[in-house]
Amino acid sequence: QSVLTQPPSVSGAPGQRVTMSCTGTGSNIGAGYDVHWYQQFPGTAPKLLIYANNNRPSGVPDRFSGSKSATSASLAITGVQAEDEADYYCQSYDSSLSGSVFGGGTKLTVL
Amino acid sequence: QLQLQESGPGLVKASETLSLTCTVSGGSITSSTYYWGWIRQPPGKGLQWIGTIYYSGSTYYTPSLKSRVTISVDTSKNQFSLKLSSVTAADTAIYYCARGVPAVAPYTHFDYWGQGALVTVSS
């Protein structure tokens, strides 16, 4: 069981807005620690997508955005494209574990 | 452009020690800005943070593996390494090395990753 909880799958048609959640507890997201998001295609290494809740690294399209509130965070893709079909992972810090923790991942299917 | 490359045996016998090295090129491992970390992914499953090291040698490990893990750094070779002892089939995974930024644990995210190394534990 992952410390951060993500829905196993989400889906959306091209052009739609898709969101996925990352739920934590009072020792991680709820404690105010940043949430980061990664995108992973099959057979490749994860790629940083969003850092510190809502910041995009250079080169990441602006259709990707992140938000955080209370004990959860969300990744939104506005105008999802077929090329966005991948696995998405959230990451934060957990004070009770004194280290980084990841969510179980969400598989995005573009219909 | 920073690059990280994992190397080491792809097959390890159960009860033995898994050893991997990550070679960093295009940047210095002694930069005060970064951590250097290991993350693994069992086949078909999610990501698990294993641990992180600072160039000075300070280390941080996930509690569930702490008794079996050692991460070390060799600044002269611009490399850092992972050793995981007493492995079982549950340790079969793709092992990634990655750069962590900033070097402040509660805020660290991983911005550069190696391609990953599949390590299979055989009985």
Side-chain angles (χ1 to χ4, degrees):
Chain A
Q1 289 287 52
S2 300
V3 174
L4 304 178
T5 301
Q6 298 182 250
S9 63
V10 297
S11 63
Q16 284 188 334
R17 183 175 187 267
V18 172
T19 63
M20 60 189 76
S21 61
C22 174
T23 302
T25 65
S27 62
N28 42 67
I29 299 176
Y33 296 117
D34 288 340
V35 178
H36 320 291
W37 292 89
Y38 301 86
Q39 177 188 57
Q40 185 181 35
F41 296 106
T44 68
K47 169 193 169 186
L48 180 65
L49 197 65
I50 297 286
Y51 67 94
N53 308 315
N54 55 14
N55 296 278
R56 284 178 286 105
S58 175
V60 173
D62 60 5
R63 65 178 181 274
F64 293 95
S65 62
S67 63
K68 192 187 91 165
S69 64
T71 58
S72 68
S74 290
L75 174 70
I77 309 174
T78 303
V80 70
Q81 301 180 6
E83 67 200 53
D84 299 330
E85 191 163 282
D87 294 324
Y88 294 83
Y89 293 91
C90 59
Q91 178 228 330
S92 187
Y93 178 85
D94 192 284
S95 58
S96 64
L97 299 174
S98 298
S100 292
V101 290
F102 285 93
T106 295
K107 181 177 181 58
L108 169 64
T109 300
V110 182
L111 303 170
Chain B
Q1 177 77 348
L2 189 79
Q3 291 186 323
L4 294 88
Q5 179 68 58
E6 305 88 352
S7 59
L11 188 64
V12 181
K13 292 182 179 179
S15 79
E16 297 188 344
T17 297
L18 176 159
S19 296
L20 291 172
T21 296
C22 182
T23 301
V24 179
S25 58
S28 175
I29 205 168
T30 60
S31 171
S32 61
T33 308
Y34 308 113
Y35 281 145
W36 305 93
W38 288 98
I39 298 108
R40 72 179 182 178
Q41 184 173 36
K45 297 187 178 180
L47 301 169
Q48 179 186 24
W49 173 73
I50 298 171
T52 301
I53 191 165
Y54 192 55
Y55 79 94
S56 62
S58 299
T59 53
Y60 311 87
Y61 301 133
T62 191
S64 63
L65 297 175
K66 189 172 184 177
S67 63
R68 298 193 291 130
V69 171
T70 302
I71 298 177
S72 58
V73 64
D74 186 336
T75 57
S76 66
K77 296 182 179 179
N78 227 35
Q79 295 176 335
F80 61 105
S81 298
L82 169 71
K83 291 187 183 301
L84 181 65
S85 64
S86 304
V87 298
T88 69
D91 296 310
T92 293
I94 298 172
Y95 287 76
Y96 295 101
C97 60
R99 187 179 79 172
V101 58
V104 181
Y107 306 101
T108 301
H109 56 275
F110 299 98
D111 61 349
Y112 283 90
W113 295 63
Q115 66 184 26
L118 174 62
V119 179
T120 302
V121 177
S122 67
S123 56

mmCIF file of all heavy atoms in Angstrom, chain B residues 8-37:
data_model
loop_
_atom_site.group_PDB
_atom_site.id
_atom_site.type_symbol
_atom_site.label_atom_id
_atom_site.label_comp_id
_atom_site.label_asym_id
_atom_site.label_seq_id
_atom_site.Cartn_x
_atom_site.Cartn_y
_atom_site.Cartn_z
ATOM 1 N N GLY B 8 25.480 -2.342 -13.334
ATOM 2 C CA GLY B 8 25.601 -3.396 -12.345
ATOM 3 C C GLY B 8 24.960 -4.678 -12.838
ATOM 4 O O GLY B 8 24.328 -4.693 -13.903
ATOM 5 N N PRO B 9 25.119 -5.759 -12.091
ATOM 6 C CA PRO B 9 24.558 -7.051 -12.505
ATOM 7 C C PRO B 9 23.045 -7.003 -12.629
ATOM 8 O O PRO B 9 22.356 -6.409 -11.790
ATOM 9 C CB PRO B 9 24.999 -7.995 -11.378
ATOM 10 C CG PRO B 9 26.145 -7.320 -10.719
ATOM 11 C CD PRO B 9 25.874 -5.850 -10.832
ATOM 12 N N GLY B 10 22.536 -7.660 -13.662
ATOM 13 C CA GLY B 10 21.093 -7.713 -13.857
ATOM 14 C C GLY B 10 20.453 -8.908 -13.176
ATOM 15 O O GLY B 10 19.227 -9.016 -13.117
ATOM 16 N N LEU B 11 21.273 -9.795 -12.650
ATOM 17 C CA LEU B 11 20.773 -11.002 -11.991
ATOM 18 C C LEU B 11 21.535 -11.200 -10.687
ATOM 19 O O LEU B 11 22.762 -11.200 -10.669
ATOM 20 C CB LEU B 11 20.955 -12.213 -12.913
ATOM 21 C CG LEU B 11 20.317 -13.525 -12.481
ATOM 22 C CD1 LEU B 11 18.796 -13.395 -12.426
ATOM 23 C CD2 LEU B 11 20.722 -14.650 -13.439
ATOM 24 N N VAL B 12 20.788 -11.342 -9.609
ATOM 25 C CA VAL B 12 21.383 -11.535 -8.289
ATOM 26 C C VAL B 12 20.688 -12.721 -7.626
ATOM 27 O O VAL B 12 19.461 -12.859 -7.720
ATOM 28 C CB VAL B 12 21.227 -10.280 -7.409
ATOM 29 C CG1 VAL B 12 21.869 -10.486 -6.042
ATOM 30 C CG2 VAL B 12 21.836 -9.064 -8.092
ATOM 31 N N LYS B 13 21.463 -13.550 -6.948
ATOM 32 C CA LYS B 13 20.868 -14.705 -6.275
ATOM 33 C C LYS B 13 20.250 -14.288 -4.943
ATOM 34 O O LYS B 13 20.741 -13.372 -4.260
ATOM 35 C CB LYS B 13 21.934 -15.776 -6.044
ATOM 36 C CG LYS B 13 22.438 -16.435 -7.315
ATOM 37 C CD LYS B 13 23.457 -17.526 -7.002
ATOM 38 C CE LYS B 13 23.937 -18.189 -8.291
ATOM 39 N NZ LYS B 13 24.946 -19.244 -8.029
ATOM 40 N N ALA B 14 19.183 -14.958 -4.616
ATOM 41 C CA ALA B 14 18.524 -14.685 -3.339
ATOM 42 C C ALA B 14 19.511 -14.842 -2.186
ATOM 43 O O ALA B 14 20.372 -15.730 -2.210
ATOM 44 C CB ALA B 14 17.349 -15.635 -3.168
ATOM 45 N N SER B 15 19.382 -13.965 -1.206
ATOM 46 C CA SER B 15 20.206 -13.890 0.011
ATOM 47 C C SER B 15 21.530 -13.146 -0.211
ATOM 48 O O SER B 15 22.228 -12.849 0.756
ATOM 49 C CB SER B 15 20.487 -15.260 0.626
ATOM 50 O OG SER B 15 21.513 -15.929 -0.071
ATOM 51 N N GLU B 16 21.848 -12.840 -1.475
ATOM 52 C CA GLU B 16 23.083 -12.121 -1.747
ATOM 53 C C GLU B 16 22.844 -10.604 -1.776
ATOM 54 O O GLU B 16 21.759 -10.136 -1.438
ATOM 55 C CB GLU B 16 23.712 -12.629 -3.043
ATOM 56 C CG GLU B 16 24.110 -14.087 -2.932
ATOM 57 C CD GLU B 16 24.923 -14.591 -4.126
ATOM 58 O OE1 GLU B 16 24.927 -13.907 -5.179
ATOM 59 O OE2 GLU B 16 25.548 -15.656 -3.990
ATOM 60 N N THR B 17 23.867 -9.862 -2.151
ATOM 61 C CA THR B 17 23.794 -8.407 -2.117
ATOM 62 C C THR B 17 23.707 -7.832 -3.520
ATOM 63 O O THR B 17 24.522 -8.159 -4.390
ATOM 64 C CB THR B 17 25.009 -7.810 -1.384
ATOM 65 O OG1 THR B 17 24.998 -8.238 -0.019
ATOM 66 C CG2 THR B 17 24.976 -6.286 -1.426
ATOM 67 N N LEU B 18 22.706 -6.985 -3.712
ATOM 68 C CA LEU B 18 22.524 -6.265 -4.968
ATOM 69 C C LEU B 18 23.420 -5.024 -4.930
ATOM 70 O O LEU B 18 23.424 -4.289 -3.930
ATOM 71 C CB LEU B 18 21.056 -5.871 -5.078
ATOM 72 C CG LEU B 18 20.524 -5.024 -6.238
ATOM 73 C CD1 LEU B 18 18.997 -5.227 -6.358
ATOM 74 C CD2 LEU B 18 20.828 -3.549 -6.098
ATOM 75 N N SER B 19 24.159 -4.813 -6.016
ATOM 76 C CA SER B 19 25.048 -3.638 -6.086
ATOM 77 C C SER B 19 24.860 -2.923 -7.415
ATOM 78 O O SER B 19 24.968 -3.550 -8.476
ATOM 79 C CB SER B 19 26.508 -4.064 -5.939
ATOM 80 O OG SER B 19 26.762 -4.629 -4.668
ATOM 81 N N LEU B 20 24.581 -1.639 -7.343
ATOM 82 C CA LEU B 20 24.431 -0.812 -8.529
ATOM 83 C C LEU B 20 25.213 0.485 -8.354
ATOM 84 O O LEU B 20 25.349 0.992 -7.238
ATOM 85 C CB LEU B 20 22.970 -0.474 -8.786
ATOM 86 C CG LEU B 20 22.050 -1.615 -9.211
ATOM 87 C CD1 LEU B 20 20.600 -1.147 -9.223
ATOM 88 C CD2 LEU B 20 22.441 -2.164 -10.574
ATOM 89 N N THR B 21 25.697 1.001 -9.471
ATOM 90 C CA THR B 21 26.404 2.276 -9.482
ATOM 91 C C THR B 21 25.722 3.214 -10.458
ATOM 92 O O THR B 21 25.255 2.786 -11.519
ATOM 93 C CB THR B 21 27.881 2.082 -9.877
ATOM 94 O OG1 THR B 21 28.528 1.292 -8.871
ATOM 95 C CG2 THR B 21 28.605 3.411 -9.999
ATOM 96 N N CYS B 22 25.673 4.473 -10.084
ATOM 97 C CA CYS B 22 25.124 5.502 -10.958
ATOM 98 C C CYS B 22 26.244 6.481 -11.312
ATOM 99 O O CYS B 22 26.847 7.092 -10.408
ATOM 100 C CB CYS B 22 23.983 6.236 -10.273
ATOM 101 S SG CYS B 22 23.200 7.507 -11.295
ATOM 102 N N THR B 23 26.529 6.591 -12.593
ATOM 103 C CA THR B 23 27.549 7.523 -13.057
ATOM 104 C C THR B 23 26.883 8.802 -13.555
ATOM 105 O O THR B 23 25.989 8.745 -14.415
ATOM 106 C CB THR B 23 28.391 6.904 -14.179
ATOM 107 O OG1 THR B 23 29.020 5.715 -13.681
ATOM 108 C CG2 THR B 23 29.450 7.862 -14.665
ATOM 109 N N VAL B 24 27.329 9.915 -13.021
ATOM 110 C CA VAL B 24 26.760 11.215 -13.374
ATOM 111 C C VAL B 24 27.695 11.916 -14.359
ATOM 112 O O VAL B 24 28.888 12.034 -14.101
ATOM 113 C CB VAL B 24 26.570 12.089 -12.121
ATOM 114 C CG1 VAL B 24 26.010 13.449 -12.498
ATOM 115 C CG2 VAL B 24 25.651 11.386 -11.128
ATOM 116 N N SER B 25 27.167 12.366 -15.471
ATOM 117 C CA SER B 25 27.963 13.110 -16.448
ATOM 118 C C SER B 25 27.239 14.407 -16.806
ATOM 119 O O SER B 25 26.022 14.500 -16.704
ATOM 120 C CB SER B 25 28.205 12.280 -17.704
ATOM 121 O OG SER B 25 26.978 11.889 -18.287
ATOM 122 N N GLY B 26 28.024 15.404 -17.199
ATOM 123 C CA GLY B 26 27.444 16.690 -17.565
ATOM 124 C C GLY B 26 27.179 17.585 -16.378
ATOM 125 O O GLY B 26 26.538 18.629 -16.523
ATOM 126 N N GLY B 27 27.662 17.205 -15.214
ATOM 127 C CA GLY B 27 27.484 18.000 -14.002
ATOM 128 C C GLY B 27 28.255 17.365 -12.861
ATOM 129 O O GLY B 27 28.619 16.189 -12.929
ATOM 130 N N SER B 28 28.503 18.139 -11.816
ATOM 131 C CA SER B 28 29.283 17.643 -10.695
ATOM 132 C C SER B 28 28.393 17.110 -9.579
ATOM 133 O O SER B 28 27.416 17.751 -9.179
ATOM 134 C CB SER B 28 30.173 18.749 -10.133
ATOM 135 O OG SER B 28 30.838 18.309 -8.970
ATOM 136 N N ILE B 29 28.782 15.972 -9.055
ATOM 137 C CA ILE B 29 28.042 15.363 -7.956
ATOM 138 C C ILE B 29 28.289 16.118 -6.656
ATOM 139 O O ILE B 29 27.575 15.907 -5.674
ATOM 140 C CB ILE B 29 28.421 13.877 -7.833
ATOM 141 C CG1 ILE B 29 27.297 13.069 -7.163
ATOM 142 C CG2 ILE B 29 29.745 13.700 -7.085
ATOM 143 C CD1 ILE B 29 27.487 11.570 -7.265
ATOM 144 N N THR B 30 29.290 17.005 -6.653
ATOM 145 C CA THR B 30 29.637 17.732 -5.429
ATOM 146 C C THR B 30 28.906 19.072 -5.311
ATOM 147 O O THR B 30 29.185 19.849 -4.404
ATOM 148 C CB THR B 30 31.157 17.980 -5.351
ATOM 149 O OG1 THR B 30 31.564 18.757 -6.476
ATOM 150 C CG2 THR B 30 31.920 16.671 -5.315
ATOM 151 N N SER B 31 27.989 19.326 -6.211
ATOM 152 C CA SER B 31 27.206 20.558 -6.095
ATOM 153 C C SER B 31 26.395 20.549 -4.804
ATOM 154 O O SER B 31 25.759 19.548 -4.460
ATOM 155 C CB SER B 31 26.257 20.699 -7.279
ATOM 156 O OG SER B 31 25.356 21.769 -7.078
ATOM 157 N N SER B 32 26.410 21.673 -4.099
ATOM 158 C CA SER B 32 25.698 21.759 -2.825
ATOM 159 C C SER B 32 24.186 21.840 -3.011
ATOM 160 O O SER B 32 23.439 21.769 -2.034
ATOM 161 C CB SER B 32 26.188 22.980 -2.049
ATOM 162 O OG SER B 32 25.927 24.172 -2.779
ATOM 163 N N THR B 33 23.751 21.992 -4.236
ATOM 164 C CA THR B 33 22.321 22.201 -4.502
ATOM 165 C C THR B 33 21.517 20.914 -4.540
ATOM 166 O O THR B 33 20.295 20.933 -4.396
ATOM 167 C CB THR B 33 22.154 22.927 -5.849
ATOM 168 O OG1 THR B 33 22.957 24.091 -5.868
ATOM 169 C CG2 THR B 33 20.708 23.309 -6.103
ATOM 170 N N TYR B 34 22.207 19.788 -4.742
ATOM 171 C CA TYR B 34 21.483 18.560 -5.068
ATOM 172 C C TYR B 34 21.709 17.402 -4.111
ATOM 173 O O TYR B 34 22.744 17.282 -3.464
ATOM 174 C CB TYR B 34 21.888 18.104 -6.479
ATOM 175 C CG TYR B 34 21.753 19.173 -7.524
ATOM 176 C CD1 TYR B 34 22.870 19.697 -8.159
ATOM 177 C CD2 TYR B 34 20.505 19.669 -7.869
ATOM 178 C CE1 TYR B 34 22.747 20.702 -9.108
ATOM 179 C CE2 TYR B 34 20.375 20.664 -8.823
ATOM 180 C CZ TYR B 34 21.494 21.169 -9.430
ATOM 181 O OH TYR B 34 21.361 22.165 -10.377
ATOM 182 N N TYR B 35 20.686 16.551 -4.044
ATOM 183 C CA TYR B 35 20.799 15.210 -3.491
ATOM 184 C C TYR B 35 20.918 14.245 -4.668
ATOM 185 O O TYR B 35 20.630 14.591 -5.806
ATOM 186 C CB TYR B 35 19.535 14.847 -2.698
ATOM 187 C CG TYR B 35 19.427 15.417 -1.310
ATOM 188 C CD1 TYR B 35 18.178 15.800 -0.813
ATOM 189 C CD2 TYR B 35 20.523 15.534 -0.467
ATOM 190 C CE1 TYR B 35 18.030 16.304 0.471
ATOM 191 C CE2 TYR B 35 20.391 16.040 0.815
ATOM 192 C CZ TYR B 35 19.140 16.420 1.278
ATOM 193 O OH TYR B 35 18.998 16.911 2.549
ATOM 194 N N TRP B 36 21.278 13.010 -4.352
ATOM 195 C CA TRP B 36 21.346 11.955 -5.357
ATOM 196 C C TRP B 36 20.612 10.754 -4.785
ATOM 197 O O TRP B 36 20.907 10.316 -3.677
ATOM 198 C CB TRP B 36 22.791 11.641 -5.699
ATOM 199 C CG TRP B 36 23.501 12.898 -6.133
ATOM 200 C CD1 TRP B 36 24.216 13.755 -5.357
ATOM 201 C CD2 TRP B 36 23.471 13.475 -7.447
ATOM 202 N NE1 TRP B 36 24.647 14.825 -6.105
ATOM 203 C CE2 TRP B 36 24.208 14.688 -7.387
ATOM 204 C CE3 TRP B 36 22.915 13.081 -8.669
ATOM 205 C CZ2 TRP B 36 24.391 15.501 -8.501
ATOM 206 C CZ3 TRP B 36 23.097 13.909 -9.781
ATOM 207 C CH2 TRP B 36 23.825 15.098 -9.688
ATOM 208 N N GLY B 37 19.646 10.239 -5.529
ATOM 209 C CA GLY B 37 18.769 9.241 -4.959
ATOM 210 C C GLY B 37 18.597 7.979 -5.774
ATOM 211 O O GLY B 37 18.938 7.917 -6.965
#
